[in-house]
Amino acid sequence: MQLGDTGPNDGSPLSQNQADDGQNGDVPTATNEVRTVGTDAVNGDREAADTSEPLIVNQEAPRPLALATVLKSVGSVNPGPTGDIDDDVITYNLSFRVESELPFGYEGNFTPAGLTGTDLNFATDPGTLVSGEKYVLVSDAKPFDAEFANTLPIAPANWTIVYTTSPLTTPALSDGATTGAEWTTVRPTDASTITRIGFVYNTTQRGPIATGTTVTGFTLQATNAQATTVRNLAQIFGQTNGDPDNNIVFDESGDQNPNNFLEDTPSNDDPYGDYDPALDLGDPNEEDGSDPNDGTPNDGGGNDTEKGEPNELDLDNPTPQPDELLNGPLEQPGATGPEGTTNDDFVEKSITESVTSGETIENPDAVIFDNTVANNTSFPITNVVLRPISPTEANQVCAACDYSSVDVDGTEIDIPDGTIVTITLPVQTGVGAVQTATYEWQAETNPGEGTFDLTSAAQVSIPTLAAGQSLNYTVTVDLPGTDVVNAFDAYSIPVIAYVNNDENETFDFDAEGAGSNIKIDRLYAGYLKLTKEVQVRYADGTPSGFFTDGSQIDPQPGPGDTLEYRITYENIATPATGSGTGNILLPANNVIVQDSGISGTPGNTGSGNNWALDNDSDGVIDTSHVTNGATAQFGTIQFFNGDPATAGIQQVGTTAATDVTQYINNVGTVVPGGEGTFTFQREIN
């Protein structure tokens, strides 16, 4: 019996407190509802209030149900030393969730509960497994047309790796009537005899796994493929915490649904997962098979199955492939660099302190770079790490790419020892709490051969980067506070995104190079370089040539000679290239070249410019402007008169008030790689 049975039964006003009169979809005096019955009531007999979901009287309380979703993906493929597929090494990543909600739309009378263990069948020598204790089991049968590699699997904390050599005709788990595979923690000497690798969690000792928990970090490898298409499947087994009937909870990889649900429909109406040991062997060659509609497991293509479908890997097109895990400038993860690859795209910035050629900068402020990592595939990529690596390591990924740091002359230098790089992944859609990791550069003898050592508690790791998902993150570069940063040095910091197949805190090219992607955060210690030179135009018309140090001119100039000053400005940042796209360049905007002849002290040649001062105190300024002697390659020229200088006109005189005492060239923007000149002439009085 339910409260109220007046259409539309959706919680709307038409379903609430309606007359029991046959209107609005009501069946008067129906026997399956609660209503008022009165005599001479003012408003007649009324239906009881309805809710959007009918409240069933005498229904049993919801039963607990653990909802486990096991996930499996290819982390990387190492092609091996030959062109043959049999030495390819495939790295698989596993994870699972204990869901906190029933599948959307499912109306079974259950409430989500924790996942607890079940019984295992032990080998003669079970190793550290304890008889009579309960285990959650994540099982992975060896791939079809391949076998497990000699490398050891990796398990997350509190999980134990187990093995079985029982044939795949034996199920991974017993159901009480059928004997399951024999498990042991003792690894067989011959990896080719291993039929399943498992990971177990002792819930007798550690308790159930709570709802809302996601467990990542299961990694294993396969090799010796005999066909280009390798198929693989993972399974999870357990029981529901609080289930009096001890039903086995079961799920297979290949979809995002728990307990082998197909969207909101349980397999064979069994919300526990419908484990059948006679059929659910985990053998990818005997399972349901990939969706014949398009080859993609359980993607909603119309031929999906209730239970999981094996992952299929084409070794002629392994995943992730280059340009599938992308890492680049903000909102430009697919940017390409000068070599036309996505491994040398870059963001360039400069320190904010002013710099002078030939000088060092004391403790420049940290600079923040904005970047984006993205999954450019139609499948999830798991366990993605973001971190800086050395230029030497980066060249393993892209030998043709330039990751070197250089000084103002283009000579290779090292990243300053003690440089701090911080990776920050902020809270975004699909991301939990903010993650921050800090690294310190430890220099070696040769530039680029050092290491970025993790100094924080953990690295930045993305458990699952969903298909098509992109995430923004920042890289902060803090150069050391000692006099090792020279003006116009350019420091390249390679930042890599990769699948952490070996689950450690360093990047290993052999295990993790495939499918990784690098971008460069390049920091300049100043990037707009100015050079001032002078030459003498002697009274007889001969020039001396240009010198940056006027004292080197021979013979020295005298009255009647003309000094020609040439100022060259250059943006030393990386110019745009035809093959590069999406990079963040470093233009110099609103550039103004200013030269004041009254900035020094009369008679003191080391205090600043004095070419518009009366240094010998004879009442005449030492040099006078040459009419039309000021030229600019770009922009406009302004003339200033007097001391102090005020905006004025081009004029020639023997005093500051009647001559030009300051020049300004309003250049505008100097693009990366761009340069220009500004010259002016002064005749010696």
Side-chain angles (χ1 to χ4, degrees):
M1 183 173 292
Q2 69 184 45
L3 299 179
D5 192 17
T6 299
N9 275 333
D10 60 0
S12 67
L14 291 177
S15 302
Q16 307 291 340
N17 194 30
Q18 298 296 304
D20 186 29
D21 58 4
Q23 303 297 314
N24 296 326
D26 169 52
V27 178
T29 65
T31 59
N32 65 335
E33 66 180 10
V34 175
R35 64 188 184 278
T36 63
V37 178
T39 301
D40 297 328
V42 174
N43 60 351
D45 293 344
R46 313 293 291 182
E47 300 279 4
D50 174 54
T51 60
S52 58
E53 294 183 3
L55 175 63
I56 309 300
V57 179
N58 292 329
Q59 177 174 279
E60 295 181 358
R63 292 172 57 88
L65 175 64
L67 296 155
T69 304
V70 64
L71 305 170
K72 183 178 183 67
S73 65
V74 176
S76 67
V77 177
N78 186 335
T82 73
D84 299 328
I85 62 172
D86 60 2
D87 63 358
D88 291 3
V89 177
I90 308 163
T91 299
Y92 290 103
N93 297 319
L94 301 174
S95 63
F96 74 88
R97 301 188 300 258
V98 181
E99 311 288 356
S100 57
E101 296 181 357
L102 294 172
F104 181 77
Y106 179 57
E107 297 182 352
N109 188 31
F110 293 93
T111 186
L115 179 68
T116 193
T118 187
D119 294 313
L120 294 182
N121 188 29
F122 296 142
T124 303
D125 179 7
T128 58
L129 298 175
V130 180
S131 178
E133 296 189 347
K134 306 291 185 180
Y135 297 87
V136 172
L137 169 66
V138 176
S139 172
D140 194 284
K142 75 173 184 177
F144 178 64
D145 272 342
E147 62 188 40
F148 291 118
N150 288 322
T151 52
L152 295 177
I154 298 171
N158 301 322
W159 287 76
T160 302
I161 301 168
V162 293
Y163 307 90
T164 182
T165 57
S166 299
L168 292 183
T169 54
T170 303
L173 189 77
S174 170
D175 68 343
T178 303
T179 301
E182 296 181 341
W183 293 97
T184 176
T185 60
V186 181
R187 180 180 173 85
T189 304
D190 184 356
S192 66
T193 66
I194 301 173
T195 55
R196 291 184 179 92
I197 291 177
F199 305 88
V200 294
Y201 183 87
N202 190 324
T203 58
T204 301
Q205 297 181 16
R206 299 187 178 279
I209 302 172
T211 59
T213 300
T214 297
V215 181
T216 63
F218 305 98
T219 301
L220 49 85
Q221 293 183 325
T223 190
N224 198 26
Q226 302 301 304
T228 56
T229 300
V230 178
R231 307 171 75 228
N232 193 242
L233 186 77
Q235 300 174 312
I236 188 170
F237 303 89
Q239 294 182 7
T240 298
N241 185 39
D243 177 15
D245 297 327
N246 296 324
N247 292 286
I248 293 175
V249 172
F250 172 58
D251 188 54
E252 292 184 314
S253 63
D255 62 15
Q256 295 281 327
N257 302 316
N259 294 18
N260 287 325
F261 274 71
L262 183 60
E263 296 181 348
D264 64 349
T265 304
S267 177
N268 292 329
D269 295 323
D270 182 357
Y272 297 96
D274 187 33
Y275 176 54
D276 184 345
L279 300 175
D280 301 319
L281 300 172
D283 183 349
N285 192 40
E286 301 296 333
E287 289 293 323
D288 299 318
S290 293
D291 186 346
N293 185 59
D294 59 9
T296 304
N298 280 336
D299 64 346
N303 291 306
D304 294 340
T305 62
E306 292 177 341
K307 296 190 178 182
E309 299 166 352
N311 294 62
E312 287 194 355
L313 169 66
D314 181 359
L315 288 175
D316 289 335
N317 185 31
T319 54
Q321 287 285 290
D323 298 343
E324 292 185 338
L325 176 61
L326 296 176
N327 182 32
L330 181 66
E331 307 300 341
Q332 296 290 331
T336 58
E339 291 297 326
T341 79
T342 59
N343 279 308
D344 64 337
D345 50 309
F346 58 85
V347 175
E348 294 193 334
K349 285 194 171 185
S350 176
I351 63 173
T352 57
E353 292 80 2
S354 59
V355 299
T356 302
S357 293
E359 295 186 2
T360 59
I361 301 95
E362 178 70 22
N363 194 21
D365 291 337
V367 176
I368 300 175
F369 296 80
D370 296 307
N371 307 309
T372 297
V373 62
N375 179 353
N376 196 33
T377 73
S378 59
F379 55 88
I381 301 177
T382 60
N383 202 13
V384 175
V385 167
L386 303 171
R387 61 156 296 155
I389 59 174
S390 72
T392 300
E393 290 175 306
N395 277 131
Q396 290 183 295
V397 178
C398 180
C401 298
D402 186 4
Y403 302 105
S404 60
S405 299
V406 296
D407 64 16
V408 66
D409 298 318
T411 303
E412 185 176 3
I413 59 174
D414 204 0
I415 300 168
D417 189 50
T419 295
I420 303 297
V421 175
T422 302
I423 310 289
T424 302
L425 183 69
V427 176
Q428 299 166 85
T429 302
V431 176
V434 60
Q435 295 186 54
T436 299
T438 303
Y439 298 83
E440 183 173 355
W441 176 250
Q442 305 292 333
E444 296 289 351
T445 302
N446 298 317
E449 292 184 354
T451 58
F452 277 108
D453 292 346
L454 181 67
T455 58
S456 57
Q459 57 193 354
V460 170
S461 180
I462 305 168
T464 300
L465 192 60
Q469 184 181 22
S470 62
L471 296 173
N472 298 330
Y473 68 99
T474 62
V475 176
T476 302
V477 180
D478 191 1
L479 298 172
T482 54
D483 291 333
V484 296
V485 179
N486 296 306
F488 304 111
D489 286 348
Y491 303 111
S492 295
I493 310 295
V495 178
I496 192 169
Y498 67 95
V499 176
N500 190 17
N501 293 322
D502 57 14
E503 294 289 327
N504 63 21
E505 295 174 347
T506 60
F507 170 71
D508 182 352
F509 172 74
D510 291 335
E512 295 149 335
S516 63
N517 194 236
I518 296 174
K519 55 96 53 197
I520 303 168
D521 287 326
R522 186 174 290 117
L523 178 59
Y524 286 84
Y527 67 106
L528 184 63
K529 179 186 175 186
L530 274 70
T531 302
K532 186 176 180 180
E533 302 165 290
V534 62
Q535 78 168 352
V536 177
R537 291 180 179 269
Y538 295 104
D540 62 3
T542 59
S544 67
F546 284 96
F547 290 82
T548 56
D549 183 359
S551 66
Q552 297 177 356
I553 297 176
D554 187 21
Q556 285 288 295
D561 294 334
T562 298
L563 302 176
E564 182 177 16
Y565 292 99
R566 181 174 67 186
I567 299 172
T568 302
Y569 48 85
E570 177 187 5
N571 184 338
I572 65 171
T574 305
T577 61
S579 57
T581 60
N583 301 290
I584 305 301
L585 305 178
L586 191 55
N589 299 314
N590 304 315
V591 173
I592 295 174
V593 177
Q594 174 182 302
D595 202 304
S596 172
I598 56 176
S599 60
T601 302
N604 186 345
T605 59
S607 64
N609 289 337
N610 60 5
W611 45 256
L613 294 173
D614 178 11
N615 293 285
D616 56 6
S617 302
D618 64 354
V620 177
I621 58 176
D622 287 4
T623 68
S624 296
H625 171 70
V626 174
T627 304
N628 298 325
T631 60
Q633 187 174 358
F634 300 103
T636 61
I637 301 173
Q638 289 180 279
F639 301 92
F640 292 76
N641 313 130
D643 185 6
T646 58
I649 60 173
Q650 181 176 197
Q651 61 183 5
V652 179
T654 57
T655 65
T658 60
D659 198 79
V660 176
T661 57
Q662 177 177 285
Y663 303 88
I664 285 183
N665 177 200
N666 296 290
V667 176
T669 297
V670 182
V671 299
E675 62 179 4
T677 59
F678 168 63
T679 63
F680 62 93
Q681 296 176 353
R682 306 287 301 188
E683 183 176 351
I684 300 176
N685 293 319

